């Protein structure tokens, strides 16, 4: 029996390479077992082998009738919950997405159970074709595969299985935790993001799902990634329950030179918020999935960068001399009154933290990309780690990190934090000779940590660094009702020069807050 299982595993893995792409070097000697460690080694071998061959785009297997579906037609195709994988047999169950519309390249899905591996075939009977989608069932066939998959788990109450993760489109996946609704996304990899040459979007091509024990709150998923420049083997160990975490182990192989390799990428949306410099005609005071980029450096500094919806594409980097302790995109404001949106429920959107564990991180930086967006329908924020070491053809990299969902406070022990950022014209009302409109007044409020309970006579001093421009009237004052401390200052920018600002509150020369970081641009008003 062991040799039969080994043969099935090996043949299934090789089949993931596609027709005519099975080189002899990819053969695995001996009968491998079905444990995740063994199968992950084989997927890694597949990724390495595939990187040694020219890229072949996925075959066009989806019929035109499905490729040309409208948005309304696609929304009218629904997976039958009663057909979910492991329905009634485990705390996890899996549902699948129909191929077509924006997802013309299906993925292959294998299930590993008790040492046996089988491929899940597409079947129109798994779906309901309603309203405008009636009649499309005949367009499907067994070799189509699925557009993606989603896992369900009883996050909020025992009798109902909520969605906990979705893998759908390229290398995107979205996580949600208890009491949360979907917001930001993760990606397996980012390649050449925001470069003039254009971004490359690698895609997961094959998934292996390990059936969990009936009472398990943990599940393992393997994936094979492919693109013109990079191949990769991925292992995801998802832990669900009161907290949702994913341990990620990925092995990357370069087919060609890569100009920019983005590790642990996060994608989100910021339309406008409290720090926005431009007025918006909207009843809602804020519209965003995330409001700030946060970083915990290798040296222990906590950095907070409020997000913006810029006038033009912006790219910046928070540098570190070695592997950082963590970074993430944060939805810090959690009250309904912050957003006043009953439908989108932005106050329930998750925050997500990346904790590097080991691998080839080295020196580099967390790059933040902010893209102009007219409304909330487009993701316009990306954050990821970029190493200073180039990724050249034939190179191999390994990265291990943990993804953690949270509300407003990330893992670790962050100090007092920024609770408010405001800026405006630095003129004194009624002044006979007002200053130029470029003079900016900044107000940054901090609360929590060591600031709690400090009296009005406490000595709290602001420390501010500016890469350009002139700073004036810098001071800190205690807020009423023990609501924290305010730092305020005037910035007179240099003509045509961006000003990179870093602000922290100190006591006895020692930082007691996170570092507020903002870049003022000449076209910002």
């Amino acid at each position: 029996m062991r040799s039969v299982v080994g043969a099935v595993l090996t043949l299934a893995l090789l089949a993931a390479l596609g027709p005519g792409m099975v080189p002899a070097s990819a053969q695995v000697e001996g009968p491998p077992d079905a444990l995740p460690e063994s199968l992950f080694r084989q997927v890694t071998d597949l990724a390495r082998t595939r990187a040694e061959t020219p890229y072949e785009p996925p075959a066009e297997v989806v019929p035109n009738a499905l490729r040309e579906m409208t948005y309304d037609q696609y929304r009218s195709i629904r997976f039958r919950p009663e057909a979910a994988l492991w329905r009634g047999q485990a705390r996890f169950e899996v549902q699948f997405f129909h191929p077509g519309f924006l997802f013309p390249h299906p993925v292959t899905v294998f299930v590993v159970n008790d040492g046996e591996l089988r491929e899940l075939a597409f079947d129109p009977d798994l779906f309901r074709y309603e309203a405008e989608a009636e009649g499309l069932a005949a367009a499907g066939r067994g070799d189509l595969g699925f557009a993606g998959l989603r896992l369900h788990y009883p996050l909020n109450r025992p009798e109902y299985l909520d969605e906990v993760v979705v893998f759908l489109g390229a290398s995107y996946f979205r996580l949600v935790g208890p009491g949360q609704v979907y917001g930001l996304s993760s990606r397996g990899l980012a390649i050449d993001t925001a470069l003039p040459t254009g971004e490359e979007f690698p895609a997961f091509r094959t998934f292996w799902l390990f059936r969990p024990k009936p009472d398990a709150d943990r599940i393992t998923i393997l994936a094979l990634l492919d693109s013109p420049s990079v191949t990769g083997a991925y292992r995801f160990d998802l832990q669900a329950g009161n907290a949702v975490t994913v341990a990620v182990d990925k092995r990357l192989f370069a087919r060609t030179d890569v100009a920019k390799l983005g590790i642990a990428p996060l994608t989100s949306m910021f339309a406008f918020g409290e720090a926005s410099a431009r007025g918006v005609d909207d009843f809602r005071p804020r519209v965003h999935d995330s409001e700030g980029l946060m970083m915990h450096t290798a040296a222990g500094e906590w950095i907070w960068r409020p997000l913006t919806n810029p006038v033009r594409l912006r790219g910046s980097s928070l540098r570190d001399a070695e592997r950082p302790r963590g970074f993430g995109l944060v939805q810090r404001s959690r009250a309904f009154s912050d957003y006043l949106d009953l439908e989108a429920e932005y106050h329930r959107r998750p925050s997500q933290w990346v904790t590097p564990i080991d691998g080839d991180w080295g020196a580099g930086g967390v790059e933040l990309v902010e893209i102009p967006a007219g409304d909330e329908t487009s993701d316009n924020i990306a954050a990821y780690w970029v190493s200073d070491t180039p990724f050249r053809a034939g190179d191999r990299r390994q990265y291990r990190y943990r993804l953690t969902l949270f509300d407003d406070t990330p893992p670790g022990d962050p100090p007092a934090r920024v609770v408010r950022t405001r800026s405006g014209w630095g003129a004194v009302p009624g002044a006979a000779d007002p200053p130029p409109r470029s003079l900016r007044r900044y107000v940054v409020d901090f609360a929590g940590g060591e600031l709690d309970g400090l009296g009005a006579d406490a000595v709290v001093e602001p420390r501010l660094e500016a890469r350009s421009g002139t700073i004036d009237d810098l001071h800190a004052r205690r807020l009423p009702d023990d609501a924290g401390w305010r730092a305020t200052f005037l910035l007179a920018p240099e003509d045509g020069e961006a000003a990179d600002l870093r602000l922290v509150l100190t006591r006895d020369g020692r930082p007691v807050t996170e570092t507020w970081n903002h870049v003022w641009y000449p076209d910002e008003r």
Side-chain angles (χ1 to χ4, degrees):
M1 180 65 181
R2 181 176 174 83
S3 61
V4 172
V5 172
V8 171
L9 281 171
T10 302
L11 291 175
L13 282 165
L14 295 176
L17 283 170
M21 295 183 61
V22 182
S25 60
Q27 297 287 345
V28 179
E29 296 183 2
D33 57 38
L35 295 177
E37 292 78 8
S38 174
L39 196 54
F40 187 41
R41 286 194 295 270
Q42 296 183 61
V43 177
T44 301
D45 289 339
L46 283 177
R48 180 176 56 250
T49 300
R50 178 168 282 194
E52 296 169 354
T53 63
Y55 175 71
E56 291 193 13
E60 303 292 343
V61 299
V62 175
N64 287 338
L66 299 180
R67 294 173 63 94
E68 298 171 359
M69 277 192 291
T70 66
Y71 172 76
D72 289 334
Q73 283 179 308
Y74 193 74
R75 281 175 52 89
S76 299
I77 301 177
R78 305 177 185 278
F79 189 86
R80 298 180 182 274
E82 65 275 13
L85 179 67
W86 308 321
R87 179 81 165 183
Q89 303 171 26
R91 302 180 76 188
F92 287 99
E93 67 178 36
V94 189
Q95 299 185 15
F96 299 92
F97 292 94
H98 199 285
F101 185 48
L102 298 178
F103 313 104
H105 300 128
V107 298
T108 303
V109 180
F110 293 95
V111 176
V112 185
N113 180 26
D114 291 335
E116 296 184 353
L117 184 147
R118 65 183 177 91
E119 181 179 353
L120 294 180
F122 173 84
D123 187 345
D125 291 340
L126 297 173
F127 299 88
R128 296 197 304 268
Y129 299 82
E130 302 172 342
E132 298 182 36
E134 288 184 354
L136 288 176
R141 59 180 188 272
D143 61 347
L144 276 186
F146 300 97
L149 56 94
R150 62 178 177 236
L151 271 67
H152 293 243
Y153 180 90
L155 285 176
N156 296 295
R157 57 184 192 271
E159 68 276 11
Y160 183 80
L161 271 63
D162 309 273
E163 292 183 32
V164 63
V165 65
V166 169
F167 290 89
L168 181 65
S171 68
Y172 283 87
F173 59 99
R174 302 174 80 188
L175 295 158
V176 67
Q180 299 174 342
V181 298
Y182 280 122
L184 80 170
S185 301
S186 295
R187 286 194 279 169
L189 196 65
I191 297 178
D192 295 349
T193 304
L195 293 185
T197 53
E199 184 168 1
E200 179 179 309
F201 289 91
F204 292 128
R205 299 300 184 198
T206 308
F207 290 94
W208 291 264
L209 311 178
F210 284 79
R211 177 174 173 172
K213 299 296 183 182
D215 59 348
D217 57 5
R218 178 187 174 102
I219 186 171
T220 297
I221 301 171
L222 307 184
L224 179 69
L225 176 139
D226 197 16
S227 82
S229 300
V230 179
T231 67
Y234 284 68
R235 174 172 174 167
F236 302 96
D237 290 302
L238 170 67
Q239 179 79 47
N242 294 331
V244 172
T245 64
V246 182
V248 182
D249 187 349
K250 62 186 178 188
R251 322 285 174 84
L252 303 176
F253 303 88
R255 262 199 182 99
T256 64
D257 292 350
V258 176
K260 185 196 297 183
L261 187 72
I263 301 301
L266 305 175
T267 301
S268 193
M269 179 277 294
F270 182 93
F272 59 91
E274 67 164 11
S276 299
R278 305 193 305 276
V280 180
D281 188 13
D282 197 305
F283 76 90
R284 300 167 297 180
R286 306 164 179 256
V287 172
H288 48 69
D289 287 336
S290 305
E291 63 185 288
L293 169 65
M294 196 171 187
M295 180 181 180
H296 193 194
T297 70
E301 181 185 19
W302 291 85
I303 302 174
W304 173 256
R305 168 76 73 85
L307 299 178
T308 66
N309 184 352
V311 174
R312 56 180 53 86
L313 177 69
R314 305 292 190 202
S316 57
S317 180
L318 301 180
R319 307 290 301 163
D320 211 340
E322 56 184 293
R323 181 180 74 206
R325 300 188 189 185
F327 65 91
L329 291 175
V330 184
Q331 187 78 320
R332 189 168 270 183
S333 302
R334 308 300 302 182
F336 169 75
S337 58
D338 293 326
Y339 306 90
L340 303 178
D341 196 321
L342 286 169
E343 284 71 37
E345 296 189 294
Y346 288 112
H347 61 290
R348 297 177 60 201
R349 302 295 170 109
S351 303
Q352 191 163 312
W353 193 252
V354 178
T355 304
I357 298 174
D358 61 29
D360 301 311
W361 298 82
V366 177
E367 184 167 293
L368 173 65
V369 176
E370 297 168 298
I371 305 169
D375 56 37
E376 64 208 87
T377 59
S378 300
D379 283 346
N380 65 327
I381 302 295
Y384 43 81
W385 175 263
V386 179
S387 171
D388 288 345
T389 304
F391 195 41
R392 305 298 189 194
D395 287 352
R396 169 179 177 164
R397 297 264 178 92
Q398 177 183 1
Y399 297 91
R400 291 181 61 240
Y401 53 92
R402 181 171 57 254
L403 302 175
T404 303
L405 290 186
F406 62 99
D407 287 336
D408 59 346
T409 304
D413 188 20
R417 67 187 188 183
V418 175
V419 296
R420 190 174 298 107
T421 298
R422 292 281 196 276
S423 68
W425 185 25
V428 176
D433 185 18
R437 298 289 301 189
S438 60
L439 183 70
R440 310 304 296 166
R441 165 68 68 182
Y442 278 91
V443 170
V444 184
D445 293 345
F446 297 83
E450 292 187 40
L451 297 180
D452 284 350
L454 290 180
D457 57 346
V459 178
V460 176
E461 297 180 338
R463 180 191 301 163
L464 176 62
E465 301 173 6
R467 297 287 178 87
S468 67
T470 302
I471 300 298
D472 194 14
D473 194 26
L474 171 64
H475 60 276
R477 293 179 59 185
R478 183 170 172 265
L479 293 171
D481 304 321
D482 294 326
W485 285 73
R486 169 168 295 180
T488 182
F489 61 93
L490 287 171
L491 167 69
E494 294 180 18
D495 291 340
E497 293 290 331
D500 190 348
L501 307 170
R502 290 170 49 88
L503 171 69
V504 64
L505 297 186
T506 68
R507 294 200 71 199
D508 301 322
R510 176 178 55 86
V512 293
T513 69
E514 64 188 9
T515 299
W516 173 86
N517 177 222
H518 173 73
V519 180
W520 178 89
Y521 292 96
D523 55 11
E524 182 180 308
R525 293 290 184 269

